[in-house]
Amino acid sequence: MEYILETRNLTKVYGRHKAVDSVSLHVRRGDIYGLIGRNGAGKTSVMKMITGLSKPSEGDFSVFGQRGTGSEMYMQRIGALIENTGIYPNMTAYENMKMKSIAMGVRDKKEAANLLKLVGLSDTGRKKVKNFSMGMKQRLGIAMALIGSPDIVILDEPINGLDPQGIAEVRETIERLNRERDMTFIISSHILEELSKISTSYGIINDGVLIREMTREELLAECSERIELKTDDTARACAVLDSMGIENYKVTDASTVNIFERLDGSGDITMALAQAGVKTLGITVRNEGLEDYYLSLTGGAKNV
Amino acid sequence: MFNLIKMDLYRLAHSKVTWVILIFVIGIGIFATKMTDYDIETMKQEMETGTYVDDMISGEVEPGSIAVVPDEEWASGKVEAGSMVSSQVESRILLIFITVFTVLFVNAKQKNGYIKNIAGLFPKREKLVIAEALVVAFQVLLMMITFILTILICGKVFWGEGFYMGDFSAFVKFSAVQYLLHLGFAMIMFFLCQLTRSSALSITAGMIIATGMTTIIYALINRGISGVDSLKDFDITKYVIENNITATGVASADGDMVRAFVTAAVFTVLFTGLAAFFMRKRDIR
């Protein structure tokens, strides 16, 4: 499958600190890719590398299937909002938009005004950006990232500073652009619940390492209620489950089988395994929220 | 790159610092001309006891001198425009305004984070530097023209028919060389901004150079290299921007003009190149 953006062992070292360690992520066209990680996990560093703001220490990335110098001509197809919004405080919202439009050679004179309307800033007039609220500045940053109708939009913590209505509006805007203009989004956040409402794919990053990549369906499956069976022989255990008529199960590693049906049948399953001579090392019913799942992956709970 | 130049020109037109500095340049042009007018008036009143700079240099100082003017002719009320402009430009006053403008204009892009919006779009980042350098060069030209025009207009107002243009081609040659010298200085500031990302450091360095406090450093360098036989007569002050600004007048010899021109060109190209190098190599913060 060709990915619209793909990184290959992307690494970034600052002095002796490895901020990003061999990250290989895969973003398909039309995805809303949620990059999840706590503060300092390496999300922004990854985004800076794929937007050309910093050079990787090792590894590379491809955009539209092109790597290295071949990808350079596609960099203008990427719009980005990285960290705080980069705007001139003594200019108006329109003037800030106009400058980037000029730099990108955007000929449509109405684009800046249309984008400001899209993010709800059309009424700011001659108000200088220094007098904007944090939420208004954030929305202006998102509008700036959309100049030139990019194919890929990278948003670093876009809902920072927004009130619930603002968050809902940003979410709705992203979904609409994704649906109507087939824009691909890469969004980083540490607010998992918000990401879960919008993302179609996820990358979980911790201490600079990409721990898991999964689709929304896979994540829901991971988080849904199930029986977690620990055994020393998963192959024979699966045969026993098949003989019991249990079809909805998944082997997740060498000693674990997750069973998604007959959630009240732990006793029956244990007895059937025993009769077949399969040792049961442990059997529990689990139900994880997204946050719990994330914490279990990253070991974050022990730090609480 | 043309789009980048247009963008920076748009920013130039919409930045407060651009217009504030131009207003100050006009103000200082009026002030400097008026001060010279006062000096001339004083000189006229004290004609008998006045002293001319050339006489002071030659040692023929008359006792009781109370006024000094750069040009003997001025005391008679005739002021040649070229020598008037030359004396003001050589004072290096413009360097202070160039320092403030360049540092504030260039650092704004980094300080406000705007650079993040565009740096990634242009993998060949030196284009960003060259485009911005061209716009700074344009503003320095504007400042120079404004300063010169202000002096010329004020001269005509204050001295009427006594204010006249001498050798126009020499004046144009002088103005062009001085513009290049001032541009070379602006590029030093430009480079310092890229290197340090600090307005305080860059402005301080600019003030030190503009006010001639680097004399001590040059003296030390000259002393250090005077021990080498082949460099015994070498004087580094002849090849630095600020000293060439002071030493290059409208009546300077062709050799001095050429040396000033080459010095300006070398500094302009060198420091723009260095700025581009650092922009290309560094991560955008």
Side-chain angles (χ1 to χ4, degrees):
Chain A
M1 174 192 294
E2 190 165 283
Y3 297 100
I4 196 169
L5 190 142
E6 184 184 356
T7 71
R8 195 165 59 177
N9 298 322
L10 209 58
T11 301
K12 184 67 181 178
V13 179
Y14 295 107
R16 287 190 215 171
H17 170 60
K18 203 175 241 185
V20 177
D21 190 356
S22 294
V23 165
S24 297
L25 53 84
H26 308 82
V27 183
R28 293 167 302 185
R29 188 177 200 105
D31 263 352
I32 301 177
Y33 189 98
L35 192 58
I36 306 171
R38 60 181 172 80
N39 292 332
K43 307 185 297 294
T44 302
S45 298
V46 168
M47 288 178 156
K48 278 185 167 179
M49 283 189 279
I50 59 182
T51 51
L53 296 182
S54 74
K55 290 187 174 48
S57 304
E58 285 172 38
D60 60 16
F61 64 92
S62 70
V63 181
F64 298 96
Q66 302 295 319
R67 288 190 186 280
T69 48
S71 67
E72 285 180 4
M73 64 173 161
Y74 293 104
M75 296 308 284
Q76 293 224 355
R77 304 310 307 146
I78 300 177
L81 166 62
I82 305 289
E83 291 177 312
N84 55 320
T85 46
I87 42 183
Y88 287 103
N90 287 314
M91 291 189 183
T92 64
Y94 179 80
E95 285 165 351
N96 273 281
M97 298 280 290
K98 180 83 181 157
M99 275 206 308
K100 191 178 174 188
S101 300
I102 293 171
M104 292 184 69
V106 171
R107 293 187 189 281
D108 183 359
K109 291 188 173 139
K110 293 185 192 164
E111 169 144 337
N114 289 341
L115 286 171
L116 286 175
K117 191 177 173 186
L118 183 73
V119 298
L121 290 176
S122 55
D123 295 332
T124 51
R126 299 194 65 79
K127 189 176 183 179
K128 300 265 189 274
V129 169
K130 65 183 176 187
N131 297 320
F132 280 15
S133 66
M134 192 171 167
M136 290 170 77
K137 286 179 187 172
Q138 199 70 6
R139 279 191 265 161
L140 177 57
I142 293 169
M144 298 261 296
L146 296 174
I147 290 173
S149 292
D151 294 292
I152 305 172
V153 182
I154 297 174
L155 302 174
D156 186 16
E157 312 265 3
I159 57 175
N160 266 3
L162 295 181
D163 55 26
Q165 185 181 351
I167 292 172
E169 285 170 358
V170 166
R171 189 171 64 236
E172 188 262 324
T173 301
I174 290 172
E175 283 174 327
R176 183 151 40 92
L177 289 169
N178 177 250
R179 193 174 56 242
E180 293 175 3
R181 301 193 201 180
D182 200 28
M183 276 184 187
T184 303
F185 285 85
I186 301 172
I187 305 170
S188 76
S189 183
H190 55 271
I191 304 174
L192 309 182
E193 288 308 311
E194 276 307 316
L195 268 189
S196 70
K197 290 176 188 171
I198 193 174
S199 299
T200 58
S201 300
Y202 298 88
I204 298 175
I205 188 166
N206 189 53
D207 289 336
V209 176
L210 187 70
I211 300 171
R212 287 289 301 272
E213 260 191 320
M214 56 183 71
T215 62
R216 176 196 275 159
E217 292 72 28
E218 286 168 347
L219 181 63
L220 286 174
E222 294 282 344
C223 295
S224 64
E225 200 169 36
R226 66 205 181 273
I227 296 171
E228 188 180 87
L229 169 68
K230 294 279 188 191
T231 174
D232 63 346
D233 190 342
T234 52
R236 284 174 63 199
C238 288
V240 170
L241 294 175
D242 288 337
S243 69
M244 291 175 70
I246 295 174
E247 292 173 346
N248 193 4
Y249 66 84
K250 184 178 170 187
V251 178
T252 55
D253 61 45
S255 60
T256 308
V257 181
N258 285 336
I259 303 162
F260 299 100
E261 55 180 290
R262 294 215 213 154
L263 299 176
D264 56 353
S266 300
D268 295 334
I269 293 169
T270 313
M271 279 184 61
L273 288 170
Q275 282 168 4
V278 180
K279 211 180 274 185
T280 302
L281 301 174
I283 187 161
T284 42
V285 177
R286 284 194 180 276
N287 182 359
E288 277 182 325
L290 179 57
E291 191 177 292
D292 293 330
Y293 177 71
Y294 168 74
L295 289 173
S296 70
L297 271 187
T298 60
K302 69 174 185 286
N303 295 322
V304 173
Chain B
M1 192 158 88
F2 185 58
N3 289 334
L4 288 171
I5 295 171
K6 275 171 42 178
M7 178 197 73
D8 276 320
L9 280 172
Y10 184 93
R11 183 163 73 98
L12 183 75
H14 287 81
S15 293
K16 245 189 247 178
V17 67
T18 305
W19 305 106
V20 167
I21 291 288
L22 281 176
I23 289 168
F24 269 90
V25 165
I26 293 170
I28 210 73
I30 296 170
F31 177 77
T33 316
K34 190 62 189 170
M35 287 294 107
T36 306
D37 184 40
Y38 282 147
D39 287 342
I40 291 172
E41 287 303 315
T42 306
M43 194 64 209
K44 277 181 188 169
Q45 286 165 18
E46 305 289 338
M47 216 44 157
E48 302 277 312
T49 58
T51 298
Y52 304 108
V53 168
D54 288 343
D55 290 341
M56 284 181 73
I57 291 170
S58 67
E60 294 175 15
V61 177
E62 290 189 9
S65 305
I66 58 165
V68 177
V69 290
D71 194 312
E72 190 171 334
E73 190 188 28
W74 293 11
S76 64
K78 283 190 176 309
V79 181
E80 198 271 310
S83 64
M84 177 62 195
V85 169
S86 179
S87 69
Q88 301 306 328
V89 170
E90 287 169 43
S91 71
R92 300 201 291 231
I93 188 69
L94 270 182
L95 295 188
I96 293 172
F97 297 111
I98 289 172
T99 298
V100 173
F101 165 76
T102 307
V103 172
L104 292 183
F105 184 74
V106 172
N107 270 351
K109 208 181 250 179
Q110 181 77 40
K111 193 177 120 187
N112 296 319
Y114 191 85
I115 186 78
K116 289 182 296 183
N117 293 320
I118 50 172
L121 305 174
F122 301 93
K124 289 191 184 354
R125 283 204 215 138
E126 47 270 27
K127 286 185 189 177
L128 294 166
V129 168
I130 292 166
E132 197 169 21
L134 285 170
V135 170
V136 167
F138 173 73
Q139 175 67 359
V140 170
L141 179 65
L142 216 56
M143 286 164 66
M144 194 108 203
I145 291 172
T146 304
F147 189 59
I148 291 172
L149 277 177
T150 304
I151 292 169
L152 294 177
I153 292 168
C154 287
K156 206 66 189 170
V157 167
F158 297 145
W159 303 306
E161 294 303 316
F163 189 66
Y164 69 100
M165 175 61 71
D167 185 349
F168 185 70
S169 63
F171 177 71
V172 169
K173 205 164 56 173
F174 156 80
S175 300
V177 171
Q178 281 288 355
Y179 165 68
L180 281 171
L181 286 166
H182 284 72
L183 177 60
F185 176 79
M187 290 303 108
I188 297 173
M189 293 297 103
F190 190 76
F191 162 69
L192 283 176
C193 291
Q194 296 291 346
L195 178 70
T196 67
R197 292 175 179 157
S198 165
S199 296
L201 232 144
S202 304
I203 285 181
T204 305
M207 292 298 160
I208 287 173
I209 298 170
T211 53
M213 285 192 261
T214 44
T215 309
I216 304 164
I217 301 168
Y218 300 145
L220 285 170
I221 294 172
N222 279 341
R223 198 170 172 183
I225 61 176
S226 64
V228 179
D229 276 343
S230 54
L231 296 172
K232 205 167 49 178
D233 297 321
F234 180 78
D235 181 3
I236 195 169
T237 60
K238 286 185 183 172
Y239 305 101
V240 295
I241 287 277
E242 65 272 32
N243 281 29
N244 271 283
I245 287 174
T246 307
T248 305
V250 71
S252 288
D254 283 346
D256 292 336
M257 284 280 191
V258 168
R259 189 190 66 235
F261 174 84
V262 171
T263 303
V266 167
F267 270 76
T268 300
V269 170
L270 175 68
F271 282 97
T272 309
L274 284 171
F277 172 78
F278 275 94
M279 172 61 98
R280 206 177 64 188
K281 289 293 178 192
R282 275 181 163 174
D283 290 344
I284 304 293
R285 274 198 254 144

